[in-house]
Amino acid sequence: MTRITADVRFLRGYNQARVMALGRTVRTFERSTVVEATGLTPQAVSKVIARLSADGLIRPAGVRRTGIGKPAVVYELVPDSRYAIGAHVARRTLRLVLVDLAGTVHHSTVSPLPGDFTPEQFLVALAAGIDAMTGSSGVRGRLTGVGIGMIGPLDHAHGLVRDAHGLQHWHDVPLREIAEKHLGLPVHLDKDVTAGITAEAWRHGGTFGDAALIMIESGIGGGFWLGGTAHRGAHTNAGEFGHTVVDLNGPRCVCGRHGCLEIVHNQAADAGDIDRAARVVAVGVVNLLQTLDLAHVVLAGADLLRHSRTYLAAVTEAVQADARRADWLTTKVTLSSLGADVIAAGAAMQVLDQHYGIPELAHSLIVGS
Ligand SMILES: [Zn+2]
């Protein structure tokens, strides 16, 4: 419930966000459905529906005749009324996607970033990419904002990149603020893996249980969805899955410890032994399951997807052999449902969530009111 209140000024009211969350879940609805789901009065709902219609976010989609009384107007969401851009920042590439209000990915582009790029170089590339994506289509005026899924560590709440792993010029960079100034659009900043798990939660809807997204690209990270929401941790630093130790006598890692999953994995991958690299990740995933008892593990990231079958097989096998010691313990292992777009798409969905509420939360609204 709290996440839905995130930026309700934009919609001139909490109730509008609740109605939008419902509309984005069920796609077609009528006034009585909203009254039932939200507990608002029919008069209040009529006002909200009138405002959302005037803003072009919903539109009438016919009538339903009940036999007695006046037929009820059925409304539907207008997916192309609003869009968000999502950016996935990796060490060498910038991926951009255009996502509509319903969460559909329309365009996806990848462009190279200069080696060890600075914040200024990144902003120039981001602005050029957004212009190219929205310039001719007339989408620009319907852009809600830009979501950036970035290499951590970063402070999500304050929009601050603390020290992006492997990038020298990113120490305490107030990226959200400088990007908003540069682009003239609202910006949402989150860790790449957290954006990614948000996209998976959207795709799976209300049935998505506790889950992790394991990403191998620009290092190895984990994004977590726990108790129905993204888990960022006390310092928004959750997800340093690659820096958990799998070998006490292992090689020294960039973080200073020995035998981190990331360095052990990378040494195997660099030597061309993908089977071993995949087994290292599988050991880490089983450790996670033993700690967090997850229902779903999603595998993602360009370096993993290049050998998707090997990683999927190794993790699935390890989960069955080592983690599921009882038949009531079940964990689904899948590849990312959006492939290489998952981080960028999730970043865009976070922007839409912030302004229009979380679709699957509408279910809990119905139950809770
Ligand atoms: Zn490490």
Side-chain angles (χ1 to χ4, degrees):
M1 289 288 271
T2 50
R3 287 184 308 150
I4 229 166
T5 65
D7 191 359
V8 289
R9 274 165 300 164
F10 190 88
L11 273 178
R12 303 191 303 270
Y14 175 64
N15 292 337
Q16 292 192 40
R18 293 177 81 189
V19 175
M20 280 301 289
L22 177 70
R24 292 165 75 209
T25 303
V26 296
R27 297 293 171 86
T28 63
F29 59 92
E30 52 198 79
R31 192 178 70 161
S32 61
T33 331
V34 180
V35 169
E36 211 175 293
T38 61
L40 296 168
T41 63
Q43 292 77 9
V45 172
S46 294
K47 270 190 200 169
V48 173
I49 285 177
R51 276 200 296 264
L52 294 174
S53 302
D55 287 345
L57 294 162
I58 60 171
R59 65 188 162 209
V63 291
R64 192 176 63 85
R65 296 181 194 282
T66 49
I68 334 157
K70 273 197 331 190
V73 180
V74 177
Y75 294 90
E76 66 181 2
L77 186 78
V78 184
D80 65 357
S81 62
R82 297 292 186 278
Y83 291 90
I85 296 264
H88 174 193
V89 188
R91 287 204 191 107
R92 299 213 162 262
T93 55
L94 171 63
R95 182 180 288 268
L96 294 178
V97 296
L98 182 69
V99 175
D100 72 18
L101 189 55
T104 305
V105 177
H106 286 265
H107 298 288
S108 167
T109 60
V110 189
S111 53
L113 287 168
D116 206 17
F117 57 89
T118 63
E120 290 71 30
Q121 286 173 318
F122 166 67
L123 290 177
V124 169
L126 179 64
I130 292 173
D131 284 348
M133 189 165 264
T134 61
S136 57
S137 58
V139 162
R140 185 84 194 194
R142 285 174 274 163
L143 271 187
T144 302
V146 178
I148 301 176
M150 177 77 193
I151 304 161
L154 58 79
D155 181 339
H156 158 77
H158 297 99
L160 186 76
V161 179
R162 290 200 185 280
D163 266 307
H165 286 307
L167 296 172
Q168 281 188 59
H169 307 287
W170 290 81
H171 178 67
D172 285 351
V173 175
L175 180 58
R176 187 175 68 204
E177 195 188 321
I178 59 174
E180 283 184 343
K181 273 190 197 144
H182 195 88
L183 303 171
L185 286 164
V187 170
H188 184 275
L189 175 70
D190 212 335
K191 254 189 176 181
D192 42 19
V193 282
T194 309
I197 195 73
T198 303
E200 291 295 334
W202 254 58
R203 302 280 295 177
H204 290 90
T207 58
F208 202 56
D210 288 349
L213 175 129
I214 305 300
M215 185 175 85
I216 308 185
E217 179 176 340
S218 300
I220 300 182
F224 302 104
W225 191 264
L226 301 176
T229 188
H231 174 80
R232 297 186 177 88
H235 310 91
T236 71
N237 197 45
E240 296 296 323
F241 173 65
H243 298 289
T244 56
V245 171
V246 292
D247 180 0
L248 283 184
N249 303 311
R252 191 177 158 89
C253 178
V254 284
C255 73
R257 298 173 82 198
H258 285 265
C260 285
L261 189 148
E262 185 173 301
I263 183 75
V264 176
H265 167 273
N266 289 358
Q267 282 193 348
D270 292 347
D273 193 347
I274 302 300
D275 286 334
R276 180 170 157 75
R279 284 202 304 276
V280 174
V281 172
V283 167
V285 168
V286 171
N287 290 346
L288 262 189
L289 296 184
Q290 302 290 36
T291 311
L292 293 172
D293 183 17
L294 303 171
H296 196 158
V297 174
V298 182
L299 304 177
D303 295 339
L304 186 152
L305 294 175
R306 215 168 290 133
H307 306 281
S308 58
R309 265 198 254 165
T310 309
Y311 282 96
L312 182 63
V315 175
T316 304
E317 196 188 309
V319 166
Q320 283 170 356
D322 300 337
R324 291 173 52 179
R325 289 185 308 255
D327 58 7
W328 47 269
L329 276 170
T330 56
T331 302
K332 215 159 108 180
V333 182
T334 59
L335 296 171
S336 155
S337 58
L338 282 166
D341 283 337
V342 67
I343 307 297
M349 289 168 186
Q350 288 180 323
V351 172
L352 296 169
D353 284 349
Q354 205 174 21
H355 292 281
Y356 303 108
I358 304 277
E360 66 265 31
L361 265 189
H363 293 301
S364 58
L365 289 177
I366 294 166
V367 173
S369 59

